[in-house]
Amino acid sequence: FAYAITSVLIVTIFVIGYKYMGNVKGAQESSSLLLLKNSIKNDIARIKNDYGSLSKKEYLLPNDVQEVCFVDKKGKNPLLCRGCQKSTDYMSMIEVISNNATNNVFLLDESVKSTLRVDNLKIGCCTFRCFKTNNNRLRIKIEGDGKYATIS
């Protein structure tokens, strides 16, 4: 009888612990995403006003983010540009954009995982630019021109 009660107690502790660890992991991922969003926004807001400045930035990403895309709806005609990525490769993001989304930074896994809005952002000639992650890290260059920040 004592073994049965002990076994039930141990199993109960393991189940509760497993559920708690799942909640902690979800909260950790949410806070990681929020920190990433704030870091990108703050870095761009700070660098954009410093004409001619160039800053290389590295951001730690949640595990399942495979690419980060920056969108410039005021970008030039991508047909006149060289090296633009194909919109057909990013249909989930294009669909969100076409629904009049105001956000212009997209975190992608197999689809759009999260979005955010960053003001005064340029990416050059193309309408969007995506960066693949490497070891859960995003590496970009941000250049200030006094009014906008250009991502490369």
Side-chain angles (χ1 to χ4, degrees):
F1 180 72
Y3 289 119
I5 292 175
T6 304
S7 297
V8 169
L9 184 61
I10 289 174
V11 168
T12 303
I13 290 171
F14 278 124
V15 169
I16 291 171
Y18 182 75
K19 286 183 180 181
Y20 177 75
M21 293 304 285
N23 291 342
V24 167
K25 183 180 177 188
Q28 182 180 14
E29 186 171 319
S30 294
S31 64
S32 172
L33 205 53
L34 184 61
L35 180 63
L36 170 68
K37 288 178 176 184
N38 287 335
S39 296
I40 290 174
K41 282 183 175 183
N42 292 338
D43 288 342
I44 288 174
R46 184 175 36 80
I47 294 169
K48 73 178 173 106
N49 295 320
D50 192 7
Y51 182 83
S53 68
L54 178 66
S55 181
K56 294 179 182 179
K57 293 292 182 181
E58 182 175 287
Y59 302 99
L60 184 62
L61 301 168
N63 288 336
D64 51 350
V65 174
Q66 298 171 357
E67 288 185 88
V68 178
C69 298
F70 296 87
V71 176
D72 182 1
K73 292 184 179 180
K74 298 175 188 172
K76 298 176 182 140
N77 185 346
L79 298 175
L80 303 175
C81 301
R82 297 179 72 195
C84 293
Q85 294 159 309
K86 297 180 201 172
S87 60
T88 54
D89 294 339
Y90 298 93
M91 290 309 295
S92 62
M93 180 184 72
I94 299 300
E95 185 177 318
V96 173
I97 294 168
S98 66
N99 290 332
N100 294 321
T102 59
N103 292 349
N104 57 353
V105 180
F106 296 81
L107 306 178
L108 308 176
D109 51 14
E110 296 300 318
S111 61
V112 176
K113 177 178 176 63
S114 185
T115 66
L116 67 138
R117 171 124 186 103
V118 178
D119 294 321
N120 304 313
L121 175 68
K122 286 181 165 181
I123 55 165
C125 192
C126 302
T127 52
F128 71 93
R129 177 122 190 240
C130 296
F131 299 88
K132 294 213 182 279
T133 62
N134 186 6
N135 294 327
N136 297 332
R137 296 185 186 283
L138 168 67
R139 291 176 184 89
I140 59 173
K141 295 177 190 170
I142 306 172
E143 184 175 358
D145 76 356
K147 186 175 180 182
Y148 294 96
T150 302
I151 304 295
S152 59

